[in-house]
Amino acid sequence: MRQNAKRFSFNRSYRMLKEAIEGRATLYVFDFDMTLAIPMASVRRKTTGDVVSQDEFDIDSKKPGGYNPDDYDFSEFRKNLKFQPIQQLVELFSQLLEKGENVVILTARSSELGPMVFLSAEIPEHINLDNLEMVTINKPNSGYEQYHTDFEKKAAWLTNRLANGQFSKVVIYDDSESNVRAFQQLRQTVPDVQFEIYRVVHNKNDGRATIQKLEEADFQAIVKKGHAKKKKWLIGQGGNRTKTSFSKTPSYERSKSAPPGAGGS
């Protein structure tokens, strides 16, 4: 048991009293891998043994029907419990916990073991972790097995969590483009909740992480980018095996107009 749990309990009690007086609360949702911590473990393709990057995994997840978990080897995540902290996110996470805020880790992992090992080592000793909510959406019997992709599962969990009207605002930190897009789309289904979404972006050159707040314009750009990626993947997926995509030159000859009285000129 960590020290100074009474201090945490006081902060949480104060926050609950403040919410009761002022109205509904704020929910803080953090992804784990590549948001709070960089895992030393890797996802690999079973057929080749190659490491799968987050970008590749996002593309596979957006294919019709989602990714097939049987194509991937996640075993390293159960064996390798070493992580590199993303310091600015860990510090923010710790501050929110210390204040007694409603903080959730929403992860695609199937076990709490890795995140708890990391948090026990990285979160300051005086902060109590007992009241932290940990959601592992791929845990057996999680209740989200009917969804094909991790971002669908995360969106479904958040929709259920907001359904009781307890929260007027949700603040989200996640590195995955697919997850961010799914969260942004929830704005329309729960319009009475204010969404504040931050994407954690990693610089491939120096490995540093930056936090980008996403506005509505950013969301439209992400959706457009996703449509372009999906279109590229769909090209050549049809049943026509004799011609390449767009091999027929379109005709620009004007079509025959409708007769007068039928909408024509």
Side-chain angles (χ1 to χ4, degrees):
M1 183 70 176
R2 289 174 165 237
Q3 299 176 353
N4 297 333
K6 289 184 179 179
R7 177 182 175 187
F8 176 87
S9 298
F10 173 79
N11 287 342
R12 190 170 185 85
S13 298
Y14 174 78
R15 193 257 313 151
M16 292 174 68
L17 178 61
K18 188 170 181 286
E19 288 172 7
I21 296 173
E22 296 181 355
R24 296 186 297 167
T26 297
L27 178 66
Y28 295 88
V29 180
F30 287 79
D31 177 40
F32 179 68
D33 292 290
M34 304 305 291
T35 297
L36 286 172
I38 300 174
M40 298 297 102
S42 300
V43 179
R44 296 181 181 274
R45 295 190 188 277
K46 286 185 177 180
T47 52
T48 63
D50 295 338
V51 173
V52 181
S53 70
Q54 181 65 55
D55 288 343
E56 291 173 320
F57 195 78
D58 277 345
I59 292 172
D60 287 351
S61 298
K62 286 180 282 191
K63 292 178 181 178
Y67 73 92
N68 183 354
D70 294 333
D71 294 340
Y72 301 92
D73 180 5
F74 297 96
S75 60
E76 284 188 31
F77 285 81
R78 294 189 293 271
K79 302 172 185 175
N80 189 340
L81 300 180
K82 295 181 180 180
F83 305 90
Q84 176 184 334
I86 300 175
Q87 206 58 48
Q88 62 266 48
L89 270 300
V90 172
E91 290 175 2
L92 172 62
F93 182 84
S94 299
Q95 291 167 7
L96 292 170
L97 279 178
E98 188 171 18
K99 291 177 182 177
E101 298 288 356
N102 299 285
V103 182
V104 180
I105 288 181
L106 180 60
T107 172
R109 286 178 174 252
S110 59
S111 168
E112 299 176 356
L113 179 60
M116 290 310 298
V117 167
F118 171 80
L119 294 175
S120 297
E122 296 295 334
I123 301 301
E125 273 286 324
H126 68 273
I127 298 177
N128 185 11
L129 296 175
D130 291 349
N131 291 313
L132 169 67
E133 186 174 358
M134 178 85 68
V135 180
T136 50
I137 57 171
N138 284 312
K139 188 176 184 176
N141 302 316
S142 66
Y144 297 99
E145 291 82 2
Q146 71 269 35
Y147 300 101
H148 297 291
T149 63
D150 292 340
F151 61 82
E152 288 176 318
K153 294 175 184 178
K154 286 191 172 188
W157 177 88
L158 185 57
T159 300
N160 291 339
R161 192 71 172 83
L162 298 175
N164 63 5
Q166 178 184 356
F167 301 103
S168 60
K169 181 179 179 179
V170 57
V171 182
I172 301 170
Y173 297 88
D174 204 305
D175 71 292
S176 168
E177 186 179 298
S178 298
N179 293 344
V180 166
R181 186 185 302 111
F183 292 138
Q184 286 276 27
Q185 290 173 339
L186 288 184
R187 291 178 190 269
Q188 301 173 5
T189 60
V190 279
D192 59 329
V193 176
Q194 178 186 350
F195 279 73
E196 194 171 296
I197 302 176
Y198 296 87
R199 187 178 177 202
V200 182
V201 180
H202 296 268
N203 188 311
K204 295 181 180 179
N205 296 323
D206 59 18
R208 293 183 180 181
T210 57
I211 306 171
Q212 298 179 353
K213 183 178 180 181
L214 296 182
E215 306 294 348
E216 189 65 25
D218 300 309
F219 169 54
Q220 297 298 335
I222 288 175
V223 170
K224 185 176 180 180
K225 182 179 177 183
H227 285 170
K229 284 184 178 179
K230 194 165 187 179
K231 181 178 179 181
K232 289 177 183 177
W233 180 83
L234 286 171
I235 291 174
Q237 297 297 315
N240 185 350
R241 302 303 178 193
T242 61
K243 294 183 179 180
T244 59
S245 303
F246 309 121
S247 60
K248 182 178 179 180
T249 302
S251 171
Y252 295 97
E253 183 180 350
R254 187 174 183 273
S255 300
K256 184 180 183 299
S257 298
S265 55

